[in-house]
């Protein structure tokens, strides 16, 4: 079953990581995969382009089915293998609604983190402004308070959408993992850091941990002065 799957991925990419967590949670170990180097632009190779005209990763293929957007791939895996491994989408409509809300809301946290952590990577040197970076930091601090509030409301030991691990956690954890790695002050998001500590040793997360993070556990301190 899993042998009929192929995943092209890059180490440390949150979209790739979430698909890998979903595969682990659905007990689909043994899938074929190819690790591509972003530095060498390997994700833009012809092999990937043949499946994904955007030349991006993750690029995921199951038999004749190709799903390239990470959220779509995660939802596909849950739908196609609903009875396998962990149930990641609850049946109850109210619970389901919150899972979907947190899943798609993750895009806000991801973009605002990128706008600060990778500001110098995305913005050419001649276009960088301290005032713009300051606004980005303020926006990220506000976003972190929002997510900390969600967890506070859920209660200690809770996951993002309740008492069970769901697709919301699959999607969001790879973003949250960047905050301790990039030296975000713990006091900026204490509940998120508790959540990170609770999940970082989960088998699906440990099994899919970015290999270059294992080699170099700490990243640059781009979130240190948040």
């Amino acid at each position: 079953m899993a042998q009929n799957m192929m995943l092209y991925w890059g180490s440390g990419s949150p979209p790739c990581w979430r698909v890998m967590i979903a595969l682990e949670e659905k007990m689909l170990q043994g899938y074929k995969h190819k690790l591509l180097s972003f530095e060498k632009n390997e994700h833009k190779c012809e092999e990937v382009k043949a499946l994904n005209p955007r030349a991006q990763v993750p690029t995921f293929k199951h038999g004749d089915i190709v799903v390239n957007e990470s959220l779509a791939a995660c939802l596909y895996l849950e739908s196609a293998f609903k009875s396998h491994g962990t149930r990641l989408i609850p049946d109850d409509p109210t619970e389901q609604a919150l899972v979907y809300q947190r899943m798609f809301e993750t895009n806000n946290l991801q973009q605002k983190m990128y706008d600060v952590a990778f500001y110098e990577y995305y913005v050419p040197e001649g276009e960088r402004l301290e005032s713009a970076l300051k606004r980005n930091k303020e926006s990220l601090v506000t976003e972190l308070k929002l997510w900390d509030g969600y967890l506070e409301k859920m209660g200690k030991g809770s996951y993002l959408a309740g008492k069970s691990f769901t697709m919301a956690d699959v999607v969001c954890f790879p973003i949250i993992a960047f905050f301790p790695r990039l030296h975000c002050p713990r006091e900026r998001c204490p509940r998120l850091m508790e959540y990170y500590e609770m999940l970082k040793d989960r088998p699906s997360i440990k099994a899919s941990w970015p290999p270059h993070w294992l080699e170099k556990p700490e990243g640059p301190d781009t979130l240190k002065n948040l």
Side-chain angles (χ1 to χ4, degrees):
M1 182 167 49
Q3 291 81 359
N4 202 24
M5 298 178 179
M6 181 67 183
L7 175 69
Y8 297 87
W9 61 289
S11 180
S13 157
C16 294
W17 193 0
R18 63 177 58 125
V19 175
M20 296 172 81
I21 294 173
L23 285 161
E24 291 288 332
E25 290 288 340
K26 301 311 290 183
M27 303 300 289
L28 294 168
Q29 296 90 347
Y31 61 91
K32 297 173 185 175
H33 64 92
K34 182 175 283 191
L35 173 59
L36 303 174
S37 167
F38 291 118
E39 291 182 357
K40 297 176 183 177
N41 273 330
E42 290 178 347
H43 57 297
K44 298 186 182 297
C45 67
E46 292 305 316
E47 191 175 349
V48 171
K49 285 181 179 178
L51 298 172
N52 186 348
R54 294 184 185 274
Q56 296 173 340
V57 288
T59 290
F60 177 71
K61 187 174 188 289
H62 176 212
D64 295 327
I65 299 169
V66 177
V67 192
N68 294 321
E69 291 295 325
S70 65
L71 294 184
C74 287
L75 290 171
Y76 167 76
L77 288 168
E78 174 64 14
S79 176
F81 302 97
K82 195 171 184 178
S83 62
H84 290 249
T86 308
R87 281 291 302 276
L88 297 171
I89 303 290
D91 287 328
D92 179 79
T94 302
E95 295 175 3
Q96 197 177 99
L98 184 57
V99 170
Y100 288 143
Q101 173 67 31
R102 296 290 177 262
M103 281 175 62
F104 290 97
E105 201 173 4
T106 296
N107 288 332
N108 296 291
L109 181 61
Q110 177 173 323
Q111 188 58 55
K112 290 176 183 181
M113 184 270 286
Y114 280 11
D115 287 345
V116 176
F118 306 115
Y119 181 76
E120 292 188 2
Y121 177 81
Y122 287 116
V123 181
E125 186 174 0
E127 299 177 20
R128 295 172 196 162
L129 296 171
E130 280 299 318
S131 57
L133 181 57
K134 182 175 181 289
R135 284 194 301 273
N136 291 352
K137 287 181 177 180
E138 291 170 351
S139 181
L140 178 56
V141 167
T142 300
E143 186 71 20
L144 286 172
K145 286 179 181 177
L146 194 63
W147 286 87
D148 246 35
Y150 293 157
L151 285 169
E152 184 71 35
K153 187 176 180 179
M154 286 290 178
K156 196 170 180 65
S158 171
Y159 296 96
L160 287 178
K163 297 302 180 184
S164 299
F165 183 91
T166 67
M167 192 67 81
D169 305 290
V170 170
V171 168
C172 197
F173 179 85
I175 303 300
I176 293 170
F178 271 85
F179 288 92
R181 177 171 171 78
L182 301 183
H183 304 271
C184 176
R186 187 180 179 88
E187 60 269 21
R188 282 297 185 193
C189 48
R191 295 309 303 270
L192 276 179
M193 291 303 96
E194 288 176 10
Y195 169 85
Y196 167 81
E197 292 294 333
M198 181 177 78
L199 258 68
K200 67 183 177 67
D201 291 324
R202 188 176 176 90
S204 63
I205 289 171
K206 286 186 73 173
S208 56
W209 200 264
H212 81 280
W213 287 21
L214 292 171
E215 296 170 7
K216 191 177 180 183
E218 292 191 5
D221 60 358
T222 48
L223 295 179
K224 182 180 180 179
N225 296 318
L226 198 60

